[in-house]
Amino acid sequence: MGKKYKILIISDTEILGRYPMDKLKKMFSDIDFIISAGDLGNDYLDYLFTTLNKDIIYVNGNHVHKKGHDISFCKNIDGKIIRYKGLKIFGLGGSKKYSYQENQYSEFEMTQRIILNLGYLFWGRKLDIMVTHTPPRRINDREDFTHQGFEVFHKILKYFKPKLWIHGHIHLVSHMDTQETTIGDTRIINAYGYKVIEYMKN
């Protein structure tokens, strides 16, 4: 029998910062952990961690706000594969290189980041969750260069088939909107704002 996880996913807009601690505790009392897909302030992640007392797994967006604020107690998986609560999770932050600032990558550079993790991808259990800031190209992305996804991410979809892919970067009209696509066995979800999702580990 599989194990079910309830996950709070967040990115790009700090909407939950408007809620008092008591309300947040009631809203998310039953989540197992939090995934951030980037472009959120370190102070915001600290607030959610402190209020909800749940682990935060995160990647960086193309913007890192309040980066001087210490969040070493959160789990930065940008460019790493971790095993957490029986799950294999891979994180790749950043966006397409459009202004040569930090956390921006060319297709070649992002490919190199994946190659560095190939041993861990092939070894052991299958990939459960992929966390990126930018989506795969032509999946939930946009046509302006800044908001285009990475072509190389399709290699991860093809060869490693994560069951769940969480991304940010693409702003929606409202944080309540849902943008979700299924490719093969992979459920790809835009975490803009916040959403609570369930993941079943078989």
Side-chain angles (χ1 to χ4, degrees):
M1 186 174 180
K3 178 175 174 55
K4 183 184 289 186
Y5 300 85
K6 199 165 190 178
I7 310 167
L8 171 62
I9 61 173
I10 55 177
S11 77
D12 294 278
T13 181
E14 300 180 356
I15 186 69
L16 293 176
R18 303 177 190 176
Y19 293 84
M21 286 186 171
D22 288 347
K23 184 167 185 178
L24 285 179
K25 288 176 181 178
K26 290 178 181 176
M27 289 171 66
F28 306 115
S29 62
D30 59 345
I31 65 165
D32 293 295
F33 59 96
I34 302 165
I35 290 177
S36 169
D39 276 5
L40 298 170
N42 284 4
D43 56 339
Y44 180 67
L45 297 184
D46 187 358
Y47 176 64
L48 294 180
F49 177 90
T50 302
T51 301
L52 300 177
N53 193 28
K54 301 292 183 180
D55 286 333
I56 297 180
I57 295 169
Y58 75 98
V59 298
N60 292 311
N62 50 304
H63 306 289
V64 180
H65 307 294
K66 306 286 180 67
K67 59 184 177 182
H69 188 113
D70 178 41
I71 55 167
S72 57
F73 41 83
C74 297
K75 300 180 186 300
N76 183 353
I77 63 165
D78 205 339
K80 305 173 189 174
I81 294 172
I82 66 166
R83 296 184 184 280
Y84 175 78
K85 292 184 179 290
L87 301 172
K88 185 175 180 180
I89 307 173
F90 185 19
L92 290 169
S95 72
K96 285 284 190 73
K97 185 177 286 186
Y98 62 91
S99 65
Y100 294 90
Q101 301 298 312
E102 64 179 343
N103 301 315
Q104 296 178 22
Y105 303 94
S106 66
E107 280 285 343
F108 176 78
E109 289 168 335
M110 187 58 76
T111 300
Q112 292 299 109
R113 300 183 81 204
I114 294 170
I115 288 171
L116 287 173
N117 285 278
L118 279 180
Y120 296 104
L121 282 167
F122 280 112
W123 182 76
R125 298 174 183 170
K126 292 182 179 179
L127 188 59
D128 291 291
I129 303 175
M130 187 75 203
V131 183
T132 59
H133 180 59
T134 305
R137 181 70 177 108
R138 295 178 299 280
I139 300 175
N140 296 352
D141 68 347
R142 296 198 176 133
E143 288 306 309
D144 63 295
F145 185 78
T146 303
H147 294 97
Q148 286 181 11
F150 285 99
E151 292 280 358
V152 70
F153 286 170
H154 286 272
K155 300 293 186 184
I156 296 175
L157 283 170
K158 180 178 180 179
Y159 294 108
F160 302 106
K161 299 178 173 61
K163 294 296 183 183
L164 183 62
W165 191 307
I166 307 300
H167 73 85
H169 195 50
I170 307 302
H171 291 213
L172 304 176
V173 174
S174 165
H175 72 279
M176 297 298 290
D177 289 350
T178 300
Q179 187 179 43
E180 182 172 336
T181 304
T182 300
I183 302 294
D185 294 327
T186 304
R187 183 184 178 198
I188 305 172
I189 305 173
N190 185 345
Y192 180 76
Y194 74 90
K195 295 167 182 64
V196 175
I197 63 171
E198 291 186 348
Y199 175 72
M200 177 66 75
K201 170 77 173 180
N202 295 319

